[in-house]
Amino acid sequence: MIEVHNISKSYRRDSLEIPVLSNITLDVPEGEFLALMGPSGSGKTTLLNLIAGIDRPNTGSITVNGTDIATLNESNLATWRSHNVGFIFQFYNLLPVLTAFENVELPLLLTNLSKKERREHVEAALKLVGLGDRMKHYPKQLSGGQEQRVAIARAIVTDPTVLVADEPTGDLDRVSAGEIMVLMDRLNKEFKKTIVMVTHDPRAAEKAHKVMHLDKGELN
Amino acid sequence: MFVIKLVLKNALRHKLRTFLTILGIAIAVMSFGFLRTIVTAWSAGVESSAANRMIVRHSVSFIFPLPYAYKEQIARIPGVDMVSYANWFGGVYKDPADFKNFFPRIAVDPETYFDMYPEFVIPPDQLAAFKAEQGSCIVGEKIAKELGFKIGDPMPIDGDIYPGRWDFVIRGIYRGKDATADETQMLFHWNYLNERVKELQPGREGNVGWYVLKVHNPAEMPLIAKTVDQFYLNSRAGTKTETEREFQQSFVSMSSAIIRSLEIVSYIIIGIILLVLANTIVMAARERTTEYAVLKTIGFSSRHIIGLIGGESLLIAGIGGVIGLLLTFPIAAGFAGMFPTFFPVFNVETITIILAAVVATFAGVVAALFPTIRALRTSIAEGLRAIG
Ligand SMILES: Nc1ncnc2c1ncn2[C@@H]1O[C@H](COP(=O)(O)OP(=O)(O)OP(=O)(O)O)[C@@H](O)[C@H]1O
Ligand SMILES: [Mg+2]
C-alpha cells in the first residue's frame, strides 16, 4: 500500500545541511493503523509529509497505491493528493471564515460533483463524526474536539484510501482525545482506511495496530 | 465562485482594517482626481484655442504694448483675414479678497472681437447696444450668474494699471458655445480706455496689448509669423507672433511650476495608494499563510491562491477607487464654487476618471504581487509549520 524505500531528507539552512531522515524504509500494508512516535524534532512530521505527498525526499522513492509520487509534477501531485489522501492536523486548520459545512465541502469543490451531491457527501461525513447538528457553526463556535471532528470529516469526505494525522489529539483534553481516537479506530476498522498517525500520546498509540519509533533519523 | 465567496469573507475578517484601507484609498483617489482636475482645468485655455488664430505681442514681453498703428499694416499681410486687438485692463472690482471678484477685464475692439471669437455667443441686439455705447461692457454668463449682473447694471472698477475710477454699464451677456469657452471675461471698448489714457497720461495713448489675427489657412501660420516679425524687426516695438495655442501654452506655463508640483503630488498619491493597500494585503496574506498551505494540501492550485490574494486586493482597491471617484465630483464642484471665476472651466474630465480607475486597478494588482509570489513560493510543509 505505502512503500517507502530508502529515503533521505535534509534541510538546508544557509550553508548548513541538516539531515533529518536518512535511509528510511517503511512498508505500510492496506488497512494498517500505524502510530509514529519519537522525540520532538526527530522528523515525524517530515516523514508524514513525504508519505502524504506534500514534501519531496532528496533521495529514495515513495509508492502509494502503486503510484511513485516522487515522479509526479506539482499539479499532478496536487490532484493525486486530493484523490488519495486525507489530512488531519494538530491544530485542526479549519478556515475560520467558513462554517463546518463549508469547511468539509472544500475538497469536493475540486471535483465534478453537483451541489446536491456535495451536500449529501458533506452531511454524511459530518453525521459520521457526530456533528450532524453543527453544520452551520463556525470553528469559533465549536470546541477543540468538535473542530478536530470537522477536520476529520473534511479529511474523509472525498473517501481517500489513506489518512495521515499529525498529532491529532495533541491539542485536546483527555475526554476529547479519547473520542477522536474512537473515531480514528472506527475509520480504520469500519471504513478500511489505512492510517498513519504521528503522536506523543501513548494512550492514542494504543489504538494503533503497530507503533514505530523514530529517533535520530532511524525508524524502529 | 468559491474563490469570490472566500475573497468576500476574507475581506470582512478584519472589518475595521478593511474599512480603514478602503477609506485611505478613497481619500487618496479623490485627491488624485481632484489634483488632476486642477491640472486639466489649468490647461483648458490651451485646449479651447482655435486652430486659425494667431497672437501678435511685444517681442520682449506680453506686458509691453504695441502701437495701434500696426493694425492696418498687419491687416495687409497676405493670408490674414481679420485683425482684432485687445488690452489687459486689470483693475479691482469691489472686495479683491473675494475670489468671486477676480475675473479678467479686457479692453477690446467692439467691431471685430465677437467676429474673431465665434465661440462667444451674444444676442445681436445686445451686441449692437454694446457697439453703440462707449462706456458699456459685456460680461460672461458665468460671472453674470455668480455676481448677479443684469443688463443695465453699472460696473464700477478701480483702476490699478490705469488709475482712477472707471464706470461701465453692462449692455450684454455672452455665453460659451461649449464647455471649454471662457465665460468669465468682462469686455469693454478699447477706445474708451484710450481716450481716458490720452487725457490723464498723455503719451501713453495709442497702444494695444496684443493683436489677434484670423488667418485664411492654418498651414500658412509659420510663414505669417515670420513675415510679421521680420516686418517689425527694427521697429520701436518688435513683435512675437505665434499661434493662439502656443500663446496660451506660454501663458499657462507662467504658473507651470505650481502645476508641475500638483502633478508630482498626484503621482506621489499613486504611491500612497499603493502603500496603504500593500500594507493591508501583505499583512492579510501573512496571517493566512497556514490557510493557503491547507488549501494547497487539499489540492487547490496556484490559480486559486492568486485569485484569493489578487481578488481581495482588487476588491478593496475597487471599492476605495469608486468611493474616491464619487467623492471627487462634490469636492471639485465645491472648489469650483469657492473660486467660480478663477478657472474658466472646471470639470472632472473623462480622462481623469479613467486615469483614477487605472491607478486604483494598478495599485490593486501591484499590492497583491509580492504577497502572492510569497504565498506561491512557500512550500506546503513550510506553510503548515507557520503559526498563523
Ligand atoms: N523547513 C525547514 N527548514 C529547516 N529545518 C527544518 C524544516 N522543517 C523541519 N526542519 C527540521 O527538521 C527536523 C525535524 O522536524 P519535524 O517537524 O519533522 O520533527 P517532529 O518529529 O515532527 O517534531 P515535533 O514532535 O516537535 O513535531 C527539526 O530539527 C526541524 O528543525
Ligand atoms: Mg511534528
Side-chain angles (χ1 to χ4, degrees), chain A residues 11 45-46 49 54-55 78 81-82 87 89 93 95-99 102 105-107 109-110 138 154, chain B residues 2 5-6 9-10 13 290-301 304 379-382 384-385 387:
Chain A
Y11 287 107
T45 297
T46 304
N49 286 348
I54 59 182
D55 206 352
R81 278 198 306 271
S82 67
F87 302 85
F89 308 97
N93 285 345
L95 297 204
V97 289
L98 301 182
T99 61
E102 291 165 333
E105 193 186 17
L106 275 178
L109 296 174
L110 298 168
Y138 285 91
R154 180 177 67 186
Chain B
F2 155 74
K5 181 171 135 192
L6 197 53
K9 290 193 169 206
N10 276 340
R13 242 157 121 163
T290 312
E291 288 169 35
Y292 299 141
V294 170
L295 286 173
K296 284 198 257 181
T297 303
I298 292 172
F300 285 89
S301 65
H304 294 105
S379 73
I380 299 178
E382 273 175 86
L384 289 176
R385 239 169 246 281
I387 299 304

Side-chain angles (χ1 to χ4, degrees), chain A residues 11 13 20 39-46 167 200, chain B residues 382 385:
Chain A
Y11 287 107
R13 185 164 289 156
V20 179
S40 184
S42 56
K44 305 180 296 294
T45 297
T46 304
E167 301 185 41
H200 283 294
Chain B
E382 273 175 86
R385 239 169 246 281

Side-chain angles (χ1 to χ4, degrees), chain A residues 4-8 22-26 59-61:
Chain A
V4 175
H5 187 68
N6 213 17
I7 56 163
S8 298
S22 43
N23 305 318
I24 299 276
T25 295
L26 170 70
T59 59
S61 70

Side-chain angles (χ1 to χ4, degrees), chain B residues 49-355:
Chain B
S49 57
N52 65 348
R53 285 196 296 254
M54 300 187 79
I55 305 287
V56 183
R57 62 165 171 95
H58 195 284
S59 59
V60 175
S61 166
F62 175 68
I63 62 170
F64 295 115
L66 294 171
Y68 176 71
Y70 286 11
K71 185 185 173 226
E72 292 306 316
Q73 295 162 342
I74 294 173
R76 281 198 296 272
I77 289 171
V80 175
D81 278 358
M82 194 200 301
V83 179
S84 189
Y85 51 93
N87 200 105
W88 183 261
F89 180 71
V92 176
Y93 175 74
K94 289 193 174 165
D95 177 12
D98 187 348
F99 262 105
K100 270 209 294 250
N101 298 329
F102 186 90
F103 53 88
R105 292 168 276 270
I106 305 168
V108 301
D109 174 19
E111 294 306 319
T112 53
Y113 196 79
F114 285 91
D115 295 331
M116 184 59 86
Y117 291 94
E119 62 262 47
F120 300 144
V121 184
I122 178 155
D125 55 325
Q126 292 181 17
L127 182 58
F130 169 63
K131 283 181 182 177
E133 185 182 343
Q134 213 172 62
S136 70
C137 70
I138 285 181
V139 294
E141 194 168 39
K142 194 164 169 183
I143 46 167
K145 266 197 193 129
E146 205 58 56
L147 297 165
F149 292 143
K150 289 181 302 296
I151 288 173
D153 281 359
M155 182 187 290
I157 304 278
D158 286 318
D160 41 23
I161 309 172
Y162 301 97
R165 184 181 161 98
W166 300 71
D167 284 298
F168 301 99
V169 184
I170 298 170
R171 288 293 174 222
I173 295 172
Y174 75 85
R175 58 180 178 78
K177 212 176 207 163
D178 58 38
T180 61
D182 182 355
E183 286 182 348
T184 68
Q185 303 177 100
M186 181 281 216
L187 309 167
F188 67 95
H189 290 227
W190 177 83
N191 273 336
Y192 184 59
L193 171 69
N194 195 47
E195 278 171 21
R196 284 260 317 247
V197 167
K198 192 167 166 185
E199 210 175 289
L200 299 169
Q201 299 169 286
R204 250 185 103 185
E205 78 275 17
N207 284 315
V208 304
W210 65 91
Y211 288 98
V212 189
L213 318 183
K214 194 169 118 193
V215 304
H216 194 69
N217 177 4
E220 288 174 4
M221 282 179 161
L223 180 67
I224 290 172
K226 217 167 139 191
T227 313
V228 174
D229 294 347
Q230 285 284 339
F231 191 81
Y232 295 111
L233 194 57
N234 298 313
S235 311
R236 183 162 55 84
T239 59
K240 179 167 163 119
T241 305
E242 51 197 352
T243 65
E244 185 174 270
R245 175 167 287 264
E246 287 163 343
F247 177 74
Q248 299 275 27
Q249 266 163 352
S250 67
F251 220 124
V252 165
S253 70
M254 273 161 55
S255 306
S256 71
I258 295 168
I259 291 303
R260 270 309 288 166
S261 59
L262 289 186
E263 239 178 326
I264 290 168
V265 172
S266 78
Y267 294 134
I268 292 173
I269 288 172
I270 299 178
I272 293 173
I273 297 174
L274 242 168
L275 287 178
V276 168
L277 185 59
N279 184 48
T280 294
I281 299 301
V282 166
M283 224 181 332
R286 190 175 288 268
E287 285 163 7
R288 293 168 201 162
T289 305
T290 312
E291 288 169 35
Y292 299 141
V294 170
L295 286 173
K296 284 198 257 181
T297 303
I298 292 172
F300 285 89
S301 65
S302 305
R303 267 194 7 248
H304 294 105
I305 305 294
I306 294 169
L308 282 179
I309 302 176
E312 189 168 348
S313 185
L314 282 172
L315 178 74
I316 292 175
I319 295 175
V322 168
I323 294 175
L325 265 177
L326 291 179
L327 286 177
T328 306
F329 290 91
I331 288 288
F335 182 80
M338 275 163 68
F339 309 101
T341 53
F342 201 72
F343 292 98
V345 189
F346 199 82
N347 292 321
V348 181
E349 300 285 334
T350 314
I351 182 71
T352 304
I353 298 170
I354 293 171
L355 215 58

